[in-house]
Amino acid sequence: MSQITEYIKDKSVLILGFGREGQSTYNYIRKHLPEKELTIADKNKPTVNDSKVSVIFGDDYLKSLGDFDIVFKSPGIAFLDDVTYPDTTEITCQTDMFLRFCKPTVVGITGSKGKTTTSTLIYEMLKHGGVKTCLIGNIGVPVFEMADEDEDLVAVIEMSSHQLEFTTVSPHVAVLVNIYQEHLDHYKTGFRGYVDAKLNIAVHQNTEDYLIYNPEQELEGIVDWEKVIKGNRKPVTFTDAKNDAFVNELWKSTNHLKGEHNRQDIAYALTVARIFGVGDDAVREAIKNFGGIEHRMEYVGVVEDIIWYNDSIATIPTAVMGAVKALGNVDTLLFGGLDRGIDYSDFIEYLARCDIRNLVGLPETGHNIIKALKEKGADKSFFCARDMEDAVKKCAEITQKGKSCLFSPAAASYNYYKNFEEKGRHYKAVIHSLTK
């Protein structure tokens, strides 16, 4: 029996949310505790063929938390003002349990944007350096998939704010790539709650641990680094990355890491690699073999003499502006998605003055931003699309031949899609259908 299941075996357990992580939690518990009574709660009725499982579903599925000793919360479920539970109920998640009870050394990476690229680069550098490693977490592989591994494994875990919200232990090596406004609809206290969740990656560290972070982030009055940092600080500023000859060599050696933000990501990853003793030749080989990240400034192809890029992972304005700058020849920007209360005023100013000729908006935020730009009298070509098919068709009509169309939403996808991956793949599928 694992330490996790030893801890929960005599407690009543609720698996809250039955998506990818919830199903993984169920499978892991069943592997070690095949006879344990479990309850699964989800807004939609969970489908599970198990006589020892009870299900709770419907609009009131969050009302019964107090009936259980332990709740394994899935990342996408928000606890707002209408969610209450007693102190006797322990809210946890896979990330928390892994950090508390599992043997592998953990490198945790979080941030608003750049965490997927940084996590993947760290994994590749460690792997090429001969370190036994895995890449799990928010990248798409639930951490319980590696929960029974031994201490000789270095687990590189991408951690979202949702996965960090209820963690009580921090990783041995923590990488905080950046913090911008995002997921404000998920937290009772808005940006403050989001920042506090992110900082859980470091606040429980000890003097033997490492925090890699950028002290140049504009977080004055929000983050007191002296109180956050308990272990070895490894600051990596934008200036450091720009002036590091080896970082620049790596950055210039690949076409898959365009943009200043990716140079910073390389610098973060290199700092981690050096903690684990990875040499420069192994790092060079890792960068050489790096094939880019799906949905992150992903080159889709040339269709209808237009260069198409998929950047659906860019759910905040800062990421969109970085992609536009990195690509350099964007003629049409397709953007928009779920309105989560983000302040778009700076983004609207940017769109009004940038060189992009065509702006195509998807519901909801795309339409709202285009309306604001029209009211400002911005000299652009505007189009409010009904859906992705309508949007891509318009992009194909108006984008100048030989130039780029970039899909970079600056918003979440949940108003029409399960996640940004589904939205990005739909975008690519519609592009490829243009030639049929």
Side-chain angles (χ1 to χ4, degrees):
M1 187 180 299
S2 74
Q3 288 190 48
I4 294 171
T5 47
E6 180 69 31
Y7 180 73
I8 70 170
K9 66 183 177 71
D10 296 322
K11 297 178 172 128
S12 57
V13 173
L14 173 67
I15 299 173
L16 185 61
F18 206 55
R20 180 160 47 193
E21 185 164 310
Q23 292 173 37
S24 169
T25 301
Y26 165 77
N27 291 333
Y28 184 79
I29 294 173
R30 268 293 165 262
K31 173 184 173 183
H32 293 278
L33 299 170
E35 299 299 317
K36 182 170 179 58
E37 300 281 347
L38 296 170
T39 303
I40 299 171
D42 199 314
K43 186 169 186 178
N44 301 312
K45 185 177 182 180
T47 301
V48 56
N49 184 20
D50 188 331
S51 62
K52 294 188 177 297
V53 168
S54 302
V55 298
I56 299 169
F57 62 96
D59 292 339
D60 293 331
Y61 78 105
L62 292 171
K63 300 294 186 184
S64 58
L65 305 186
D67 297 337
F68 300 89
D69 298 322
I70 294 181
V71 175
F72 282 87
K73 177 184 158 309
S74 291
I77 296 173
F79 280 5
L80 299 174
D81 291 332
D82 59 339
V83 178
T84 59
Y85 51 90
D87 292 339
T88 53
T89 296
E90 178 184 352
I91 308 296
T92 187
C93 60
Q94 284 202 8
T95 302
D96 179 48
M97 285 287 174
F98 193 99
L99 289 166
R100 286 164 64 182
F101 295 115
C102 296
K103 296 178 181 178
T105 299
V106 174
V107 178
I109 304 93
T110 198
S112 302
K113 289 298 155 196
K115 57 184 178 292
T116 299
T117 300
T118 303
S119 299
T120 307
L121 288 171
I122 291 169
Y123 166 73
E124 292 293 341
M125 289 179 186
L126 294 180
K127 183 177 69 174
H128 281 84
V131 178
K132 182 182 177 183
T133 186
C134 65
L135 180 59
I136 54 179
N138 194 57
I139 198 88
V141 181
V143 299
F144 275 11
E145 302 301 308
M146 305 301 289
D148 294 338
E149 294 293 319
D150 290 327
E151 56 270 1
D152 61 342
L153 178 73
V154 176
V156 179
I157 305 180
E158 180 185 318
M159 300 175 173
S160 70
S161 59
H162 307 330
Q163 290 163 326
L164 284 164
E165 185 177 7
F166 290 96
T167 57
T168 55
V169 177
S170 296
H172 174 54
V173 179
V175 185
L176 182 60
V177 295
N178 57 55
I179 302 177
Y180 302 118
Q181 285 195 32
E182 191 171 27
H183 301 303
L184 303 188
D185 57 335
H186 191 97
Y187 300 95
K188 294 180 182 179
T189 55
F191 188 50
R192 175 76 264 173
Y194 174 65
V195 172
D196 287 343
K198 288 289 189 190
L199 292 178
N200 274 337
I201 201 168
V203 295
H204 305 294
Q205 287 186 316
N206 60 44
T207 56
E208 297 178 353
D209 297 326
Y210 296 86
L211 173 63
I212 299 162
Y213 72 111
N214 178 10
E216 290 180 345
Q217 294 181 65
E218 296 180 3
L219 295 170
E220 187 176 349
I222 300 175
V223 178
D224 184 345
W225 293 113
E226 296 304 317
K227 291 183 178 179
V228 170
I229 300 170
K230 307 292 195 307
N232 300 286
R233 63 177 66 206
K234 294 283 186 178
V236 180
T237 68
F238 294 117
T239 305
D240 293 335
K242 192 172 184 178
N243 293 335
D244 189 307
F246 189 47
V247 169
N248 278 280
E249 174 197 327
L250 297 170
W251 183 53
K252 293 174 181 177
S253 68
T254 175
N255 290 323
H256 294 295
L257 293 165
K258 296 180 179 181
E260 294 284 337
H261 56 289
N262 278 324
R263 176 163 56 188
Q264 184 78 1
D265 294 343
I266 292 171
Y268 289 131
L270 179 61
T271 305
V272 176
R274 285 173 171 159
I275 290 172
F276 288 92
V278 177
D280 288 356
D281 288 343
V283 169
R284 288 188 181 96
E285 192 66 20
I287 296 294
K288 178 182 176 182
N289 288 279
F290 180 72
I293 304 293
E294 187 182 13
H295 310 298
R296 186 69 187 102
M297 289 194 300
E298 176 191 6
Y299 173 72
V300 179
V302 177
V303 178
E304 301 289 304
D305 296 323
I306 296 165
I307 308 163
W308 300 83
Y309 287 94
N310 167 34
D311 195 40
S312 67
I313 201 172
T315 56
I316 58 174
T318 303
V320 178
M321 292 184 281
V324 171
K325 181 179 179 181
L327 294 175
N329 68 339
V330 177
D331 190 50
T332 301
L333 176 66
L334 169 59
F335 62 99
L338 178 68
D339 189 346
R340 297 171 296 166
I342 291 176
D343 182 359
Y344 284 106
S345 55
D346 288 345
F347 187 52
I348 290 167
E349 292 294 331
Y350 167 80
L351 292 177
R353 68 175 186 269
C354 73
D355 294 332
I356 300 171
R357 292 190 314 119
N358 308 305
L359 298 173
V360 178
L362 288 165
E364 309 156 342
T365 60
H367 292 186
N368 296 338
I369 290 170
I370 284 177
K371 180 182 178 182
L373 285 163
K374 286 181 176 179
E375 290 173 353
K376 286 177 64 67
D379 184 19
K380 305 285 178 180
S381 172
F382 299 113
F383 182 73
C384 289
R386 296 186 305 273
D387 51 30
M388 188 65 76
E389 286 84 357
D390 191 33
V392 171
K393 180 180 178 182
K394 187 64 176 181
C395 291
E397 291 175 0
I398 62 179
T399 306
Q400 184 175 328
K401 305 301 183 185
K403 291 198 173 183
S404 298
C405 174
L406 170 66
F407 170 48
S408 196
S413 307
Y414 307 123
N415 51 342
Y416 290 100
Y417 299 89
K418 288 192 299 184
N419 47 44
F420 71 83
E421 294 99 332
E422 184 181 69
K423 192 172 186 179
R425 286 169 188 150
H426 186 207
Y427 167 73
K428 291 189 286 184
V430 177
I431 292 168
H432 292 307
S433 72
L434 293 173
T435 59
K436 296 179 181 178

